[in-house]
Amino acid sequence: MTDHTPPANALPINFIRARIDEDCAHQTYGDRVATRFPPEPNGFLHFGHAKSIFLNYGIAADYRAECPGSYCNLRLDDTNPTKENTEFVDSIREDVAWLGFDSSGREFYASDYFERLYHCAERLIEAGLAYVDSQDAESMRLNRGTLTEPGIDSPFRNRSIDENLDLFRRMRAGEFPDGTHILRAKIDMASGNINLRDPAIYRIRHAHHHRTGDGWCIYPMYDYAHCVSDAIEGITHSLCTLEFADHRPLYDWFLDRLAELGEFTRPLPQQIEFSRLNLTYVVLSKRKLIQLVTGGHVDGWDDPRLPTLKGARRRGYTPEGFKLFTDRIGISKSDSLIDFTVLEDCMREVLNESAERRVAILDPIKLVLTNFPADHRERCLAPNHPHHPELGTREIFLTRELWIERDDFMAEPVKGFFRLSPGKEVRLRYGFIIQCTGFTADEQGRVLEVQATFDPDTKSGTPGSESRKVKGNIHWLSTADAIPADIRLYDRLFTHPAPGARREGDAPDLERDFLEDINPDSRQTLRGMVEPALATCPPERRYQFERQGYFVADRVDHQPGQRPVFNRTVTLRDTWQKS
């Protein structure tokens, strides 16, 4: 029988890699596979960008053994000076590095190529393939046509080459105000693809650029700058999301014409589209994210509830979790909606393996062991990780007075409740079996203190621990050792899987506001108690709080000498399946 099991080191199979494999087999681009991650520095990266980063950088890295000239460029598409700034540039660079990729030495900007882009535009004019249009924006929009009607030629479409060159050079010189002229490609105003109806190449914009200052007052349009930048950088496979599929003929047109004019040599870069990331309970629209931030619905761009990489990092999500997630959802040619649970499960898998364990009491009530010596401290050993004994153990001390979780006690237990209640026995994790003997409550019935006795012959790790079996097992901290901490419980920002989507029964003309679906309980802050060592752990250190979930020391507010602050990354198990 033939074994069809792929080797352990086999690369993931998808249509993009199949195309690249074919190009490598035919040596289409020699010894290189060159990709790029080209964000515009006009905002903060989000979960969808993580997918693109792992795809582009991952492909270049995976093919480097076979094609040693392979690389991935970080290219900042900074062609719109009114919306871009160095804060976004720095943030993008930091996020790429956080995900594990080194962009140093391969960081480029579209603005690096402004002179070359301008030169290529002049070549198109000289070849009769571009012209300066002086229509106003409204006339241009009306003359463009519709999906069912062809466009109408601009009255300036047949300007002479000399007049077009003169106007274009004067545009660059700053002689005209914004909106007076634009440079357009001369393709086909009757094309069924609207993107080919004489698209704009350059527009006038008197604005200060974060890198070139006031050196330019005309800026290239994305469709033009993107493909030419790919060619300048020697990109082989330009990976884009599906909304750019209709732009591919224009991508090819620009490069084919410039190759014919001798500006570039073949083979040229090829654009390949893949589906963008769509997640339930999340909005990735830049416009909506801006609304959430500027409207005060979240606390800035690094709010742990936002799907930005800054927010994900602060929440305790890991680069390894994002890598597992992108591998698990794969690459496809059709859009699909991914359940947010898939991302959470990936984070759980990674954190379960990597996060050391600690004890935290989120809603503490006092437990008094009435027969425990008042001045005694019983040393108990707890493993730092149950699956990694090489990580060792830590000491926690059991004393007469302890903190336990309020949920671990019920004065009148319901059926199936196996934790502490009057007369019931439970085991203190890593400690002794105890029996509840009573409790104290206030006038409203709120429990203030629980009393119990302990059996000194039942300590965990001793022969006596097997002498009696109990169903309940609760965690605890000594009141003498535990320190107070702020525990932030983060949950999904929206209560509906498709925020803003119409519901069954809504009127046909109803437009829902996605802000109406904000989860009012997406963040709760508790005053809890934690192990003393957690006071000095560094920011961004991740832990599993036993029986509670996965938490991270906040990278902003968790500071030495101050009250510790921990953010819940994800619960131990999915709590939304039945909601």
Side-chain angles (χ1 to χ4, degrees), residues 367 369 398-399 402 404 420 426-434 454 460 470 472-476:
L367 169 67
L369 302 179
L398 190 144
T399 58
L402 307 172
I404 64 170
L420 205 56
V426 299
R427 175 172 292 281
L428 295 177
R429 193 167 175 83
Y430 313 121
F432 302 92
I433 290 176
I434 65 171
F454 85 105
S460 296
V470 292
N473 191 317
I474 66 174
H475 60 286
W476 52 272

Side-chain angles (χ1 to χ4, degrees), residues 59-83:
I59 281 177
D62 289 345
Y63 282 91
R64 200 162 287 133
E66 180 181 354
C67 300
S70 298
Y71 54 84
C72 178
N73 290 346
L74 171 62
R75 182 170 73 239
L76 287 303
D77 177 37
D78 55 345
T79 58
N80 188 351
T82 62
K83 295 183 178 181

Side-chain angles (χ1 to χ4, degrees), residues 198-252:
D198 292 9
I201 302 178
Y202 269 89
R203 79 286 209 197
I204 301 171
R205 185 154 292 174
H206 293 269
H208 185 82
H209 190 278
H210 71 102
R211 293 187 75 239
T212 61
D214 299 318
W216 290 86
C217 61
I218 59 171
Y219 292 92
M221 305 299 288
Y222 175 83
D223 279 334
Y224 172 70
H226 181 68
C227 62
V228 176
S229 297
D230 280 351
I232 292 171
E233 294 178 8
I235 301 304
T236 60
H237 301 84
S238 182
L239 310 180
C240 304
T241 45
L242 283 175
E243 64 266 31
F244 291 100
D246 288 342
H247 296 245
R248 190 184 341 129
L250 180 57
Y251 182 100
D252 293 339

Side-chain angles (χ1 to χ4, degrees), residues 312-323:
R313 181 174 179 177
R314 193 170 179 187
R315 185 159 177 167
Y317 284 5
T318 68
E320 298 82 3
F322 277 115
K323 176 64 166 62

Side-chain angles (χ1 to χ4, degrees), residues 288-364:
K288 292 180 179 179
L289 292 176
I290 290 172
Q291 279 185 262
L292 289 169
V293 174
T294 58
H297 303 286
V298 293
D299 299 327
W301 288 100
D302 66 346
D303 189 300
R305 294 166 293 180
L306 274 187
T308 58
L309 295 187
K310 287 284 182 287
R313 181 174 179 177
R314 193 170 179 187
R315 185 159 177 167
Y317 284 5
T318 68
E320 298 82 3
F322 277 115
K323 176 64 166 62
L324 179 60
F325 175 65
T326 54
D327 288 345
R328 188 158 291 174
I329 63 175
I331 302 296
S332 72
K333 294 183 179 181
S334 57
D335 281 325
S336 61
L337 190 61
I338 307 298
D339 196 291
F340 195 77
T341 302
V342 179
L343 176 60
E344 291 180 317
D345 285 344
C346 290
M347 295 299 166
R348 284 190 188 96
E349 286 187 38
V350 169
L351 290 169
N352 181 55
E353 182 65 20
S354 62
E356 290 193 6
R357 275 44 170 176
R358 295 293 184 269
V359 175
I361 310 296
L362 305 192
D363 186 8

Side-chain angles (χ1 to χ4, degrees), residues 259-275:
E260 291 165 359
L261 294 171
E263 291 298 323
F264 300 111
T265 58
R266 301 180 189 275
L268 299 166
Q270 54 180 304
Q271 177 176 305
I272 308 173
E273 304 86 24
F274 63 94
S275 61

